[in-house]
Amino acid sequence: MGALPQELIAKKRDGGTLAAEEIGQLVTGMTDGSVTDAQISAFAMAVFFRGMAMDERVALTLAMRDSGDVLDWSHLDGPALDKHSTGGVGDNLSLMLAPIVAACGGFVPMISGRGLGHTGGTLDKMDSIPGYQTQPDNETFRSVTESCGCAVIGQTAALAPADKRFYGIRDVTATVESIDLITASILSKKLAAGLDGLVLDVKSGSGAFMPTHEDSEALASSLVSVANGAGTRTSALLTDMNEVLGHVAGNAVEVATAVEFLTGAAQDARVREVTLALCAQMLVLGGLADKDTALAKVSDALDSGRAAERFAAMVTALGGPAHFVERYQTYLAVPEIEIAVPAPTSGTVAVMDTRQIGLAVVALGGGRTNPADPIDHAVGLTHIVSLGDRVEAGDPLARVLARTQADADAAASRVTAAITIGDAPAPAPAIYSQIDPTGAP
């Protein structure tokens, strides 16, 4: 007979260390309902203030992973690999990364989420493609992953169900911002996918989830240490989110730029740098290349067109149009209104409040503030300036795609307020640092 939930909560409240069995007991109670919402809330607040040792973080992650189905890809003739981003604005890298890695011999069963708050969601982007199934049955998910090398779908209720309940309570009890609990939440879902290797893209800057660079570094370190402690080879890149990644933000517009990137029609330099660095890390983790050859291998997979072929095959296999890559512009929705956002003065783009750019897309209907909110896939921002760009008064800072003139004007005001024109900023790297599977930078 285990301890009562309130005894375990008190132990953590008083600064004690919970054993793996005790954490497992609490997670089982989250899953079967025997631990109440009030008790989960109290436990979350105790962890928020007292923190968790590394062994506790690993135990919580594993218990939440094992609260539902854990997928098995051992029958594949290559490693099962994935990437997780902590969320940004204009971050459509998953759409390019999955087919690039697939073209290099990896398998990417990517279970993605929807957008919430100022950040976009990969599933919302994929929903822009007519007919594409983001919630296929398990057999379809498996067969598409095997035949195409990648499948980008949504989380099922059977994966890490304890996390779904735990996160819902944390969201309304001011306990989301705990690195211990964020780590377990992110990794329990990803590790339930049965991966051989995982690369994390941890954002830092004004559009990042974590408020400071130090917090982003701490989260990256925690994620890498816990994931490796849980038995999955994992590394991380700390990347810049002090400006929109690329030049668009929305859903259909980000799908369009992903297709253009894969086909070579248009590639932003920072997007290419981060995408290929993440892909190279995945190949190294999966044993498909060494550090000296991985970057050349993923570059060739992209530049040869093989990655675009994989993406096209995946879209068709999951219900999308057969010629989507060739005719994407005819399939992606475009709203009625398009306006330019004029620069109020001449100068250099010095600062961007990237979170506010993301919230401008949300206000247009391209994101959600409530999980049940519908998404308008057509709206968004395009031609967004970059830090360091020189503009003259009246030059466009961005273009707004909207359903009504009022929505367009409101978004334009947000964009104007989010961009500071002034002196040239110091150049920032697209990638700040890398954390290897050992946990050492």
Side-chain angles (χ1 to χ4, degrees):
M1 181 82 178
L4 294 172
Q6 54 264 45
E7 294 178 286
L8 301 179
I9 294 165
K11 185 175 179 180
K12 176 49 63 181
R13 179 200 66 195
D14 296 337
T17 300
L18 297 176
E21 296 77 15
E22 293 173 321
I23 290 172
Q25 180 187 332
L26 285 170
V27 172
T28 297
M30 293 178 196
T31 309
D32 66 19
S34 60
V35 173
T36 68
D37 285 4
Q39 290 170 326
I40 296 171
S41 175
F43 173 67
M45 193 63 77
V47 171
F48 185 91
F49 283 113
R50 290 296 191 173
M52 285 185 135
M54 187 55 61
D55 286 349
E56 289 179 293
R57 295 186 198 186
V58 172
L60 180 60
T61 299
L62 289 173
M64 286 168 45
R65 179 198 71 181
D66 295 338
S67 66
D69 293 345
V70 178
L71 303 179
D72 179 10
W73 301 100
S74 58
H75 62 289
L76 298 176
D77 60 358
L81 305 168
D82 201 359
K83 181 270 296 184
H84 176 79
S85 168
T86 55
V89 180
D91 181 5
N92 63 347
L93 302 192
S94 292
L95 280 64
M96 295 92 80
L97 173 146
I100 292 172
V101 173
C104 294
F107 291 87
V108 188
M110 185 174 284
I111 300 171
S112 300
R114 301 198 179 279
L116 188 62
H118 74 284
T119 62
T122 297
L123 281 198
D124 297 323
K125 304 182 208 308
M126 299 309 291
D127 277 338
S128 303
I129 302 173
Y132 188 94
Q133 302 174 58
T134 51
Q135 300 287 162
D137 58 51
N138 283 343
E139 183 53 42
T140 301
F141 180 37
R142 288 182 180 279
S143 66
V144 173
T145 299
E146 292 174 23
S147 62
C148 302
C150 56
V152 181
I153 72 158
Q155 182 185 357
T156 70
L159 290 177
D163 174 67
K164 184 174 183 179
R165 185 175 179 213
F166 197 11
Y167 184 86
I169 291 169
R170 287 167 55 214
D171 191 35
V172 296
T173 57
T175 52
V176 167
E177 298 86 355
S178 159
I179 285 180
D180 309 282
L181 299 181
I182 293 167
T183 298
S185 179
I186 289 172
L187 292 179
S188 62
K189 296 190 287 284
K190 279 296 179 184
L191 301 189
L195 305 174
D196 297 307
L198 173 66
V199 174
L200 299 155
D201 180 4
V202 180
K203 305 295 187 184
S204 175
S206 64
F209 172 68
M210 302 303 286
T212 69
H213 187 77
E214 291 72 24
D215 286 336
S216 294
E217 286 183 315
L219 176 58
S221 179
S222 176
L223 287 165
V224 170
S225 297
V226 171
N228 283 283
T232 299
R233 279 181 58 78
T234 302
S235 63
L237 294 181
L238 200 68
T239 65
D240 181 65
M241 192 39 68
N242 279 307
E243 60 181 311
V244 173
L245 187 58
H247 298 281
V248 304
N251 293 292
V253 292
E254 290 188 39
V255 174
T257 57
V259 172
E260 291 160 2
F261 182 95
L262 287 167
T263 60
Q267 293 181 352
D268 176 80
R270 288 169 68 87
V271 171
R272 181 180 173 101
E273 180 184 355
V274 178
T275 301
L276 294 185
L278 290 166
C279 291
Q281 279 286 295
M282 291 171 71
L283 263 56
V284 172
L285 291 175
L288 296 170
D290 57 34
K291 288 184 177 180
D292 294 330
T293 61
L295 194 58
K297 191 167 183 177
V298 296
S299 298
D300 180 66
L302 172 62
D303 296 336
S304 67
R306 299 199 314 276
E309 292 171 3
R310 295 282 183 153
F311 182 81
M314 177 189 74
V315 168
T316 302
L318 283 168
H323 303 287
F324 179 74
V325 167
E326 296 88 349
R327 305 174 189 168
Y328 67 96
Q329 290 170 316
T330 66
Y331 291 112
L332 295 172
V334 178
E336 297 78 6
I337 306 294
E338 179 176 349
I339 65 168
V341 182
T345 186
S346 299
T348 301
V349 180
V351 179
M352 183 180 293
D353 186 337
T354 314
R355 178 181 296 267
Q356 287 301 318
I357 299 288
L359 289 174
V361 176
V362 173
L364 285 166
R368 52 174 69 83
T369 53
N370 183 298
D373 289 347
I375 287 283
D376 185 338
H377 299 99
V379 300
L381 304 172
T382 65
H383 301 84
I384 303 166
V385 292
S386 298
L387 294 181
D389 283 356
R390 173 74 190 181
V391 295
E392 301 299 326
D395 285 351
L397 298 176
R399 299 189 70 83
V400 180
L401 304 179
R403 292 296 184 184
T404 69
Q405 189 65 47
D407 285 348
D409 292 340
S413 295
R414 276 185 181 267
V415 170
T416 303
I419 294 174
T420 302
I421 307 296
D423 297 330
I431 301 170
Y432 290 113
S433 60
Q434 176 180 316
I435 302 176
D436 290 327
T438 58

